[in-house]
Amino acid sequence: GNSVTQMEGPVTLSEEAFLTINCTYTATGYPSLFWYVQYPGEGLQLLLKATKADDKGSNKGFEATYRKETTSFHLEKGSVQVSDSAVYFCALYTGGFKTIFGAGTRLFVKA
Amino acid sequence: EAQVTQNPRYLITVTGKKLTVTCSQNMNHEYMSWYRQDPGLGLRQIYYSMNVEVTDKGDVPEGYKVSRKEKRNFPLILESPSPNQTSLYFCASRLGSERGGFLFFGEGSRLTVL
């Protein structure tokens, strides 16, 4: 079946450090891929998405590229800020009723 | 402003006392869903609805009921809450089943059952 695996956290970085959160997926067909972010005390919100192979999603300085050959969608940011501290969820959707979420990766950014 | 609104945001109740968590969206979305979020278990889908009067079970439906009488509302009902239903609950909606369709989430409802 379809699944998403993302790196376990927490990830602790200093401000201005480079961030990578790994995400790999297993899916039949051609899924759409997403990163959602959950700030403390809030619901999840879409951070970025990609709908086909080699697409790059980007938003707020974050980027992720849909790599079909490695079934990956790693999240990157060149210089993190304290305000980026949150939980990040990788997810896939193949249509129908279900979005599959990874377990989430908590990011702490220290000033 | 496009939003999914849940109420209440926080609730403490006792075992067996029926409660309803309301969810409303203002985006004319066809699809709505309920999730619970527990430490170490991530997000688990409780129920979903593809459209008015069409609902179905997700991964963890036991102890919950839902209804979808209107497109905008999708209440979650706990007929006889138990302590293992203590959790953070999220309602979410999506336009339909379009490619690239993403979920809009509510702010969450933290429920404690004593």
Side-chain angles (χ1 to χ4, degrees), chain A residues 6-13 19 21 38-41 84-89 103-109, chain B residues 37 39 110:
Chain A
Q6 60 182 105
M7 63 189 286
E8 290 189 26
V11 174
T12 302
L13 296 173
L19 168 71
I21 301 178
Q38 184 180 25
Y39 297 107
D84 293 325
S85 297
V87 182
Y88 293 82
F89 292 90
T105 301
R106 185 175 294 277
L107 170 67
F108 293 103
V109 181
Chain B
Q37 184 178 29
R110 185 168 293 281

Side-chain angles (χ1 to χ4, degrees), chain B:
Chain B
E1 181 190 353
Q3 57 186 358
V4 177
T5 303
Q6 298 178 224
N7 281 295
R9 294 287 314 278
Y10 301 91
L11 179 64
I12 300 174
T13 190
V14 295
T15 299
K17 186 175 182 182
K18 180 180 178 180
L19 68 92
T20 299
V21 186
T22 64
C23 174
S24 181
Q25 50 94 4
N26 64 358
M27 296 166 280
N28 203 35
H29 284 174
E30 291 186 351
Y31 177 90
M32 298 185 75
S33 184
W34 277 101
Y35 295 85
R36 59 180 289 175
Q37 184 178 29
D38 301 288
L41 296 175
L43 283 164
R44 293 181 291 169
Q45 189 178 43
I46 303 170
Y47 269 94
Y48 65 93
S49 169
M50 298 294 283
N51 214 326
V52 176
E53 302 291 2
V54 180
T55 64
D56 210 343
K57 297 176 181 179
D59 299 316
V60 287
E62 294 79 20
Y64 304 96
K65 286 176 56 178
V66 293
S67 69
R68 187 96 182 270
K69 295 185 172 59
E70 306 163 283
K71 199 170 190 178
R72 62 183 294 127
N73 295 324
F74 190 46
L76 179 70
I77 302 157
L78 286 72
E79 293 271 2
S80 182
S82 62
N84 65 11
Q85 292 178 297
T86 293
S87 187
L88 179 57
Y89 291 88
F90 289 102
C91 180
S93 71
R94 186 179 59 233
L95 180 61
S97 301
E98 70 284 5
R99 184 167 188 78
F102 60 93
L103 292 164
F104 284 82
F105 282 83
E107 301 239 313
S109 296
R110 185 168 293 281
L111 171 65
T112 301
V113 183
L114 302 175

Side-chain angles (χ1 to χ4, degrees), chain A residues 14-100:
Chain A
S14 298
E15 209 165 23
E16 299 184 3
F18 184 86
L19 168 71
T20 300
I21 301 178
N22 291 336
C23 171
T24 57
Y25 67 90
T26 302
T28 53
Y30 300 95
S32 298
L33 301 174
F34 309 87
W35 278 100
Y36 289 85
V37 59
Q38 184 180 25
Y39 297 107
E42 299 183 10
L44 283 73
Q45 58 185 272
L46 180 72
L47 179 60
L48 54 84
K49 69 175 185 177
T51 59
K52 61 184 188 296
D54 300 324
D55 266 3
K56 177 185 283 188
S58 61
N59 186 24
K60 299 182 180 180
F62 291 89
E63 293 183 339
T65 300
Y66 189 140
R67 300 282 188 206
K68 193 167 185 297
E69 64 277 13
T70 54
T71 61
S72 64
F73 193 55
H74 305 321
L75 182 68
E76 296 182 337
K77 186 175 186 183
S79 177
V80 294
Q81 305 300 311
V82 172
S83 57
D84 293 325
S85 297
V87 182
Y88 293 82
F89 292 90
C90 185
L92 71 83
Y93 177 59
T94 57
F97 67 90
K98 193 158 186 173
T99 297
I100 308 294

